Amino acid sequence: MLDLSQKWLGNTLEEWAYALALALSINVILGLIKWVIITRGAKLAARTSSNVDDALIEIAKRTKQFLILGVTLMIGTRYLELSDQIDKTLITVATVSGFLQLGLWLNGGLSFWIETYRSKNSEGAAATSLGAVYFIGKILLWAIVSMLMLDNLGVDVTALVAGLGVGGIAVALALQNILGDLFASLSIVIDKPFVIGDTILVDTYFGTVEHVGLKTTRLRSVTGEQIIVSNSDLLKTRIRNYKRMEERRMLFTFGVTYQTPAEQLRKIPAMVQEMVESVPSARFNRAHFRGFGDSSLDFEVVYWMTEPDYAVGLGVQQDINLALFTRFEEEGIEFAYPTQTLFVQPQSSEPLHVKMAAAKGDAA
């Protein structure tokens, strides 16, 4: 029969048994809480739209029972009389285990946030930038956890922090352009001034976004070549995003001859309005007799395309032009073109009128 009154390392076996039972009991209770959160919580999370419960489940999955045991052993032995060496060893084990578990929980939270954001942004640019952010975030996280752990273990981390600070400044100076582009890429992913597939104008460069990388963004121009722009330079300039137009404003002008009667001039805006409104995807705005040109009476027409696609707009403009040409032909209204009228005074009392068409390409 085992005598529990025997002493080992300054305490009876019974006291050691109670201490171990306490440590294991706390470990088992925490393990049961983990199991409930993962199993029961998953069913609850499936019925809710909140991300809090999903984050809690992901963090709980990162719980390691052997690390929890390292902490609970110290808790269980607080009531025992131990030598300084053993007590220091248990405190060290508990400190290392506690900070490692804390790091795993924080890393789980960071991973959940990255994956949640990535699932909402499936384009390649988001995956690339968020992957880089996750990598940098993990390095910073474990660096902070490690220094806090060493500080709690009694290690003087002042010199280490100072050395890391100086080294970080040196690295940042050497890589400032790369880091600037990296953070610009992250800004593009989060702020979303454009996404892959958008057609944008950057300064004088016009094209469709093909790829947003860690350092550069690549556009495909309308003439076929690829335009590569630094991310940091991209955010320093004004960007026009044509893909996000809800409607496209269309404006065109035309002129009729000076021989057009005033009554027909008054009818032209209503004719144009009727033709624009008969075309699908077009919303009439205005049509006015704008002014007197050198060889024409000028009209200006503005309408809105409810479909902002440029190719669709050109098709609609073509339909309006053909309808306008047909209607004017029926009404006997002539389109103006650059002409010059010369009045020649002959010897007789009656003037001779000569009308000359200007050569193609000549100014009016």
Side-chain angles (χ1 to χ4, degrees):
M1 186 75 179
L2 182 62
D3 185 7
L4 297 180
S5 63
Q6 292 182 3
K7 286 194 174 184
W8 182 64
L9 297 179
N11 299 275
T12 65
L13 294 180
E14 184 178 4
E15 290 172 335
W16 278 108
Y18 285 142
L20 183 60
L22 177 60
L24 291 176
S25 298
I26 296 174
N27 202 349
V28 170
I29 291 172
L30 292 177
L32 289 174
I33 294 174
K34 171 187 173 182
W35 178 81
V36 170
I37 292 175
I38 295 175
T39 56
R40 304 294 182 182
K43 297 178 181 179
L44 177 63
R47 298 194 299 267
T48 62
S49 58
S50 174
N51 289 329
V52 176
D53 44 11
D54 297 310
L56 185 61
I57 293 171
E58 183 63 28
I59 292 174
K61 289 179 180 179
R62 303 298 179 100
T63 303
K64 304 300 180 182
Q65 293 305 127
F66 70 91
L67 293 178
I68 299 296
L69 181 60
V71 178
T72 58
L73 279 175
M74 184 194 71
I75 297 174
T77 56
R78 288 300 84 193
Y79 302 100
L80 300 179
E81 294 183 5
L82 302 172
S83 64
D84 292 340
Q85 184 64 36
I86 295 177
D87 190 59
K88 184 177 180 181
T89 301
L90 288 173
I91 292 176
T92 301
V93 171
T95 302
V96 172
S97 299
F99 276 101
L100 288 178
Q101 184 59 69
L102 176 63
L104 289 174
W105 282 335
L106 294 176
N107 186 59
L110 176 63
S111 176
F112 175 79
W113 178 79
I114 292 292
E115 290 301 325
T116 302
Y117 197 88
R118 183 179 293 171
S119 65
K120 297 178 181 179
N121 301 270
S122 57
E123 66 267 15
T128 302
S129 298
L130 291 175
V133 170
Y134 182 46
F135 177 74
I136 295 175
K138 282 202 303 183
I139 293 177
L140 293 176
L141 169 64
W142 285 108
I144 294 173
V145 169
S146 298
M147 283 189 289
L148 289 175
M149 181 178 66
L150 292 174
D151 185 59
N152 279 270
L153 290 175
V155 178
D156 186 8
V157 296
T158 305
L160 179 61
V161 172
L164 290 175
V166 173
I169 294 174
V171 172
L173 290 175
L175 302 177
Q176 56 181 335
N177 292 332
I178 296 176
L179 292 176
D181 289 327
L182 174 61
F183 286 110
S185 173
L186 180 61
S187 175
I188 291 172
V189 170
I190 295 176
D191 192 45
K192 293 185 181 299
F194 54 83
V195 296
I196 294 175
D198 284 2
T199 300
I200 63 173
L201 176 67
V202 183
D203 289 335
T204 59
Y205 302 108
F206 182 79
T208 302
V209 180
E210 284 190 336
H211 175 73
V212 180
L214 293 178
K215 181 170 175 57
T216 62
T217 294
R218 300 166 196 170
L219 312 178
R220 181 67 61 181
S221 73
V222 292
T223 53
E225 71 270 18
Q226 188 180 71
I227 303 171
I228 302 174
V229 186
S230 169
N231 287 332
S232 57
D233 292 340
L234 193 64
L235 294 184
K236 292 177 183 177
T237 186
R238 292 176 176 85
I239 302 171
R240 291 189 178 186
N241 193 329
Y242 290 92
K243 184 69 174 292
R244 296 182 182 176
M245 283 195 305
E246 296 181 357
E247 293 184 323
R248 181 181 290 272
R249 185 175 183 267
M250 305 290 285
L251 181 147
F252 70 96
T253 60
F254 64 89
V256 298
T257 61
Y258 271 92
Q259 287 74 26
T260 305
E263 187 63 28
Q264 285 187 315
L265 289 177
R266 292 189 184 95
K267 295 180 181 179
I268 288 177
M271 293 181 193
V272 174
Q273 180 177 355
E274 179 184 346
M275 284 178 278
V276 171
E277 291 178 344
S278 66
V279 178
S281 305
R283 179 167 59 83
F284 178 78
N285 181 245
R286 62 179 177 84
H288 291 96
F289 177 18
R290 191 183 66 177
F292 300 90
D294 293 338
S295 58
S296 62
L297 302 173
D298 298 329
F299 286 80
E300 183 177 84
V301 181
V302 175
Y303 65 94
W304 289 90
M305 282 292 304
T306 56
E307 295 183 19
D309 186 84
Y310 186 66
V312 175
L314 291 179
V316 169
Q317 183 63 59
Q318 175 180 268
D319 293 340
I320 293 173
N321 290 342
L322 292 173
L324 192 65
F325 191 88
T326 303
R327 182 67 179 274
F328 278 19
E329 190 176 41
E330 294 172 353
E331 298 289 337
I333 301 174
E334 295 183 0
F335 285 101
Y337 51 88
T339 60
Q340 289 182 342
T341 302
L342 300 180
F343 296 91
V344 181
Q345 184 67 42
Q347 294 296 325
S348 62
S349 59
E350 296 181 0
L352 176 64
H353 298 280
V354 180
K355 187 175 182 180
M356 301 177 60
K360 185 176 181 180
D362 291 350

